[in-house]
Amino acid sequence: MNKALSTALVGVAAAQLAKLPVALWRTGRWDWSLLTEAGGMPSSHSAGAASLATYTAMKKGLSSIEFAISTMYGLIVMYDAMGVRRHAGEIAVEVNELDHKMELLANEHPGIYHERRERMLKEKLGHLPIEVGAGTVLGIAIGAASYCMELKKSSWFSRLSHKA
């Protein structure tokens, strides 16, 4: 498998797994649904993008086109997570509260009929800056570790071939 891609996927998976103990610490209970949900601490999108950019920087160099592409991709992902997706989540909170407000209004005015929505909109879509920052730090560590493991593996193979 492509080492850069597998590094990014490990970054995403590690961040998703890290959400479990963070949520346990905050709430006192395990929430296994966090393994497949967007949002939360740390940002898995940021971890994946940062691990890809870090691995690429170490493998190809800071002046490579690959590093430039992966860095721009990462910046867009992080901006989107803190901006557009976060604001969409805040709007979802307001829309979900409309049901409650309509029920209160209907009780005050008995002629108004309101049917509650079957499904609430998903409210946790984006990230706070600290969640993006934590994902970025995690991703940088994973990208660097992936590259270092690759170096160690290649030097081990070269030592083995010189002994033969």
Side-chain angles (χ1 to χ4, degrees), residues 16-131:
Q16 284 299 115
L17 285 172
K19 291 177 183 185
L20 293 173
V22 169
L24 176 65
W25 178 72
R26 286 182 175 167
T27 66
R29 64 180 181 86
W30 290 102
D31 184 359
W32 297 101
S33 70
L34 294 175
L35 290 175
T36 58
E37 289 185 5
M41 171 67 100
S43 165
S44 58
H45 294 87
S46 299
S51 60
L52 175 63
T54 302
Y55 175 82
T56 304
M58 295 177 82
K59 179 81 172 179
K60 299 288 187 175
L62 295 175
S63 61
S64 70
I65 189 75
E66 294 92 342
F67 174 67
I69 292 169
S70 62
T71 299
M72 282 307 301
Y73 155 76
L75 292 173
I76 291 168
V77 165
M78 291 174 201
Y79 176 80
D80 179 62
M82 287 188 301
V84 176
R85 287 180 43 239
R86 181 169 169 225
H87 291 304
E90 291 171 358
I91 290 169
V93 169
E94 295 296 321
V95 170
N96 289 339
E97 286 179 8
L98 284 176
D99 271 338
H100 177 67
K101 291 174 183 174
M102 285 300 297
E103 287 173 355
L104 292 175
L105 184 62
N107 286 338
E108 289 179 22
H109 304 281
I112 296 176
Y113 174 73
H114 174 68
E115 187 175 321
R116 186 174 262 287
R117 293 168 45 97
E118 286 185 31
R119 283 186 6 177
M120 303 293 275
L121 293 176
K122 191 171 186 172
E123 297 177 357
K124 191 140 181 141
L125 298 172
H127 293 282
L128 298 171
I130 193 163
E131 295 169 339

